[in-house]
Amino acid sequence: MEETTITRIEELKDIANEVRFRIVDMVYRAQSGHCGGSLSAADIVTALYFEIMKINPAAPDWPDRDRFILSKGHACPVQYAALSLKGYFPLDELGTFRKLHSRLQGHPVAGKLPGIEVTTGSLGIGFCEGIGLGLDAKLRKQDWRVWIVLGDGELNEGAVWEAAQAGSKFHLDNVTAIVDRNRLQNDGFCDDIMPIEPVVEKFRVFGWETYEIDGHNMSEIVRTLHVARQVKGKPTCIVARTVKGKGVSFMENVRDWHGKAPNSEQYEQAVRELRGGRT
Amino acid sequence: MNLPRAFNPTRKAFSEQMASRGAESDFAVFESDIGYSTYSYLFGDRFPERYFNFGIAEVSTMAAAAGMASNGRTVFVAGYGVFLTMRALEVVRSFVCYPHLNVKILSSHGGVTAAIDGVTHQATEDIAFMTTLPEMKVLCPCDTASAKAAFDLALKTPGPVFVRLMRDPLFELYPEGTSFALGGSKVVREGSDITIAAYGDMVFEAIDAADRLAARGIRAEVLDLYSIKPVDWAGITASISKTHTLLVVENHQARNGLGTYIGDALLQTGASVRYDHVGLEDRFAESGDYRGVIETYGLCATNIEAHAKKLLAANQGR
Ligand SMILES: Cc1ncc(C[n+]2csc(CCOP(=O)(O)OP(=O)(O)O)c2C)c(N)n1
Ligand SMILES: [Mg+2]
């Protein structure tokens, strides 16, 4: 099994921090977008792009690449930040997010920007698209994988469970779903809006191999993603316990920061916390 | 255009009215996790026992509304237009409209008003889907007074009603307490050269266009077709009998919008009318600020003005 060294883990943590800065910066410059769910997924998305996935930014259409799907498309600042830091497009372009004629649409649009595999934004759909992609990899007898990041509120959508059945039926061991379990959705805490526990058990009884991890512990994330890759005969689901708004103190665990842009003072403070270490 | 700026979008005005009517009527409100966007939480805060948040699950929310309505209670379902009119479309058609149930749809972010979120959040085909359904009534207010009235109309009209609302606050057109009727319309500018008919945010673009045309000596009549289905035939006929020229403007796909319906009906009556429409030209829009997007895609006063001039030039050749 592949391993990741301790030094590499430290590098990944630094990259995740840079991803976080880019998220806040992007949403601030657009004065629109979703900070909370982008920040909670930053460590997971960083691990995937910078350590786990078989990808080549210079050849975004390489047929054997792994496919990444951000099913919770509203959190696209995290994906745009990772893609640009990885070299898919210039960092400057992050400043065009959500603006007219930008390739960085409000929700990810396939074909507009290199690295975006399928269009998402309507919750529940990206996960189903991932099942279809996984099936085609099997049909073509190719060994690339599909990595899908879902929101926990997103699990309310019935379509997720319909596709979960299919993933199991078709033995899609090339599909890994990671649930960003930040415990918040749009209107409040998941427990109040729509309780979804026991999430891990639900995926398990749907026939998926399951894991539960700390979604901000880089070595645990990387280790579990390596393990998921080895599972044979069924799809894998990793439920990652996270904090919505992770890394910016005043955004952490606050419903209001689901889809709000920081003002200049808040932006300054966020940058201090992300770049200067927390006081 | 010298109209006062609105503080609140129509989605909020509608929900405020919903909260204020909650005491006198025992309707329920169903939400699917965007209560802070639809402002349905205003009702929920006052009447928690009749407010049900189903989470992010539009299809089952709509079907549950049909179930509750089948037992005689009126249910308002709140959500974004894209999800309610497309993901839940079969439920609306076969299990709300077909049995003629009292399910009322509070449809926020109509047209490209969810501009900045991009195409997945822009409801630009909703009027086509909803007006096509038998039994369904369709309303689209443009300001606070008409949004409040739209709530009252939805509540008192038997059967399914769809109300298209906007994301952004725009302008105030009508004094508080103005009366609106199902199947009604308003003449918001009088004129005799061309009739410009619009609904929702496009009413303001039409007024702006009328002002621009006036500066060139063209007197445009602007109709607010806030009742999209049933539409006010008497009002349209009265206006075009003066102008013989009709331009329908909508924040929607031009194909299969209200314009298509009106144009088709005019052909059937054999009326001698020059007709054109302004809408999305068989394409998707994109992310951007509201103003930038409507201007890029021609859903704006300058494009209305251009279409009007072309139409009138064609008229002169007759
Ligand atoms: C089908 C659908 N319904 C509603 C929405 C509006 N919406 C956007 S984000 C969101 C809450 C998402 O919560 P969660 O999946 O937990 O995401 P996260 O907390 O990671 O941001 C909602 C309801 C949507 N994008 N798609
Ligand atoms: Mg969440």
Side-chain angles (χ1 to χ4, degrees), chain A residues 101 105-107 122 157 187, chain B residues 33 35 56 58 87 117 286-287:
Chain A
H101 311 317
Q105 290 287 296
H107 292 75
S122 181
E157 286 288 357
D187 281 352
Chain B
D33 194 36
I56 311 166
E58 295 79 8
R87 200 176 269 202
D117 285 319
E286 63 181 291
S287 289

Side-chain angles (χ1 to χ4, degrees), chain A residues 30 32 34 98-102 105-107 119-123 125 153-154 156-157 185-188 193-194 255, chain B residues 31 33-37 51 53-58 83 87 116-118 120-121 286-289 292-293 296:
Chain A
S32 174
H34 299 76
R98 288 191 163 227
K99 298 196 174 125
L100 210 52
H101 311 317
S102 171
Q105 290 287 296
H107 292 75
T119 297
T120 60
S122 181
L123 293 164
I125 303 297
E154 183 175 15
N156 299 165
E157 286 288 357
Q185 50 195 100
N186 188 64
D187 281 352
I193 303 305
M194 187 51 67
R255 188 211 74 78
Chain B
E31 176 54 74
D33 194 36
I34 45 170
Y36 288 98
S37 284
Y51 182 65
N53 198 326
F54 282 75
I56 311 166
E58 295 79 8
F83 309 132
R87 200 176 269 202
I116 202 144
D117 285 319
T120 54
H121 286 59
E286 63 181 291
S287 289
D289 62 291
V293 174
T296 302

Side-chain angles (χ1 to χ4, degrees), chain B residues 36-88:
Chain B
Y36 288 98
S37 284
T38 61
Y39 290 94
S40 70
Y41 81 91
L42 295 171
F43 177 89
D45 285 355
R46 288 181 62 183
F47 305 99
E49 71 290 351
R50 277 185 281 140
Y51 182 65
F52 300 93
N53 198 326
F54 282 75
I56 311 166
E58 295 79 8
V59 180
S60 58
T61 305
M62 190 64 75
M68 186 179 270
S70 74
N71 203 37
R73 189 187 302 276
T74 295
V75 183
F76 281 80
V77 179
Y80 287 166
V82 270
F83 309 132
L84 296 181
T85 67
M86 295 193 286
R87 200 176 269 202

Side-chain angles (χ1 to χ4, degrees), chain B residues 166-199:
Chain B
M166 285 170 296
R167 177 184 183 272
D168 299 318
L170 297 171
F171 299 94
E172 297 296 2
L173 181 58
Y174 301 110
E176 217 186 303
T178 304
S179 68
F180 296 86
L182 190 72
S185 70
K186 298 273 186 207
V187 178
V188 296
R189 279 281 193 288
E190 282 189 42
S192 49
D193 295 329
I194 180 172
T195 303
I196 306 177
Y199 55 85

